[in-house]
Amino acid sequence: MTDPSSVAATRGLEHPMVEARNVHKAYGRLEVLKGIDMQVHRGEVLCLIGPSGSGKSTFLRCINHLEKIDGGQLSVDGELVGYRQQGNRLYELKDKEVCRKRAEIGMVFQRFNLFPHMSVLDNITSGPMWVKKASGGPSRDRAHQLLERVGLIDKVDAYPNQLSGGQQQRVAIARALAMDPKLMLFDEPTSALDPELVGDVLDVMRSLAHDGMTMIVVTHEIGFAREVGDTVVFMDGGVVVEQGDPVQVLTDPRHERTQAFLAKVL
């Protein structure tokens, strides 16, 4: 968990890192997000919990425009996600501009999404070199630093199929960090891992939180949310049911739906 005083200090800045106002998203007649209001401030770790199908992952994907919202406003670092505003009208950004904005947001998925035909080193350097047009030498140096950080420097020449699930996920985190993101999104990063592999991934995430990285984490790891989160948000049925300090939400929830969920998972 980041220092509460430092998090509070950032809230005096002119805009939060992420702000959602009445965000809606539907797939045909299925309304997945039903008016989400949320703020995430610089240096804050926000943990999203809730049952499967509650809209947590969809909301995360909307933040970097992998999904387009159908209503409301969503901004990152003071800029609308996927759109620009001119007067009272919104204009969708071109794909190239969306990709440029998306490069500022790191995302770690459930299933790692590493390129199977590339070595660990090439997986990490591909983004900086292809997207940011960074030169090879500095990109490789940065990759080695990040692999050292996630405890996998000895796997630099390995391929994904030679790694355990936990190792692949740590490489995925290193790959996201190689782009020097201002925000990290984690979509249930430990849900596909065997229990004994979860700890190493959570340790890397704890380290990022300690260093002040702004993070939104969709997770079923309630202990991690309690220990590392600055804010916990409980979602169900496409709405925010309850949010607040982790200790309050997780040990003394006010809403019956939150109480029922935690009674099942704790």
Side-chain angles (χ1 to χ4, degrees):
M1 184 184 295
T2 51
D3 180 0
S5 62
S6 65
V7 172
T10 64
R11 296 181 181 181
L13 296 176
E14 61 183 65
H15 53 248
M17 179 60 75
V18 178
E19 184 169 25
R21 296 182 181 179
N22 196 31
V23 169
H24 287 258
K25 174 65 183 177
Y27 299 101
R29 294 184 178 180
L30 177 62
E31 194 174 10
V32 180
L33 301 178
K34 303 175 182 178
I36 301 297
D37 293 305
M38 198 180 301
Q39 287 189 347
V40 185
H41 297 272
R42 284 172 176 76
E44 183 177 4
V45 178
L46 183 143
C47 293
L48 283 172
I49 65 171
S52 297
S54 59
K56 307 182 303 296
S57 295
T58 298
F59 177 66
L60 210 67
R61 292 172 64 85
C62 288
I63 293 173
N64 65 358
H65 208 56
L66 289 174
E67 300 285 354
K68 298 179 183 179
I69 66 174
D70 298 317
Q73 285 194 347
L74 186 56
S75 61
V76 173
D77 200 13
E79 297 185 358
L80 292 175
V81 173
Y83 300 89
R84 62 180 173 85
Q85 186 165 359
Q86 187 171 327
N88 294 323
R89 300 189 64 181
L90 292 179
Y91 298 87
E92 189 166 3
L93 299 179
K94 296 180 178 179
D95 289 345
K96 185 175 182 180
E97 196 167 359
V98 169
C99 289
R100 182 175 63 82
K101 295 292 186 182
R102 189 178 290 144
E104 300 175 343
I105 304 172
M107 187 159 186
V108 178
F109 301 86
Q110 296 180 39
R111 292 288 177 177
F112 327 133
N113 287 12
L114 299 177
F115 297 116
H117 62 289
M118 290 186 179
S119 69
V120 166
L121 179 64
D122 289 340
N123 263 282
I124 296 173
T125 59
S126 60
M129 293 175 66
W130 293 352
V131 178
K132 290 191 168 184
K133 309 302 180 184
S135 56
S139 296
R140 286 188 288 272
D141 290 343
R142 174 68 169 151
H144 280 86
Q145 294 171 2
L146 290 169
L147 285 171
E148 187 79 51
R149 176 169 190 169
V150 301
L152 291 173
I153 191 62
D154 59 325
K155 302 296 183 181
V156 64
D157 295 319
Y159 284 81
N161 65 2
Q162 298 172 312
L163 305 177
S164 70
Q167 290 171 333
Q168 289 187 61
Q169 194 61 294
R170 283 184 280 159
V171 172
I173 294 173
R175 180 180 62 181
L177 292 174
M179 296 293 288
D180 294 319
K182 62 176 71 173
L183 168 69
M184 285 286 287
L185 308 176
F186 293 88
D187 188 7
E188 298 188 25
T190 61
S191 64
L193 304 180
D194 293 333
E196 65 268 23
L197 303 177
V198 169
D200 289 339
V201 173
L202 294 182
D203 284 345
V204 173
M205 294 170 65
R206 287 187 185 94
S207 173
L208 292 177
H210 183 267
D211 288 349
M213 173 64 74
T214 309
M215 298 162 57
I216 303 178
V217 185
V218 173
T219 184
H220 292 297
E221 300 289 341
I222 302 300
F224 174 85
R226 181 188 294 111
E227 174 193 351
V228 180
D230 296 296
T231 303
V232 168
V233 174
F234 173 66
M235 289 181 61
D236 191 16
V239 301
V240 172
V241 176
E242 188 165 350
Q243 61 182 311
D245 176 84
V247 174
Q248 184 272 308
V249 173
L250 298 174
T251 62
D252 187 24
R254 297 186 176 94
H255 201 287
E256 289 183 1
R257 290 161 78 184
T258 317
Q259 295 168 9
F261 172 78
L262 291 172
K264 292 180 179 179
V265 301
L266 292 179

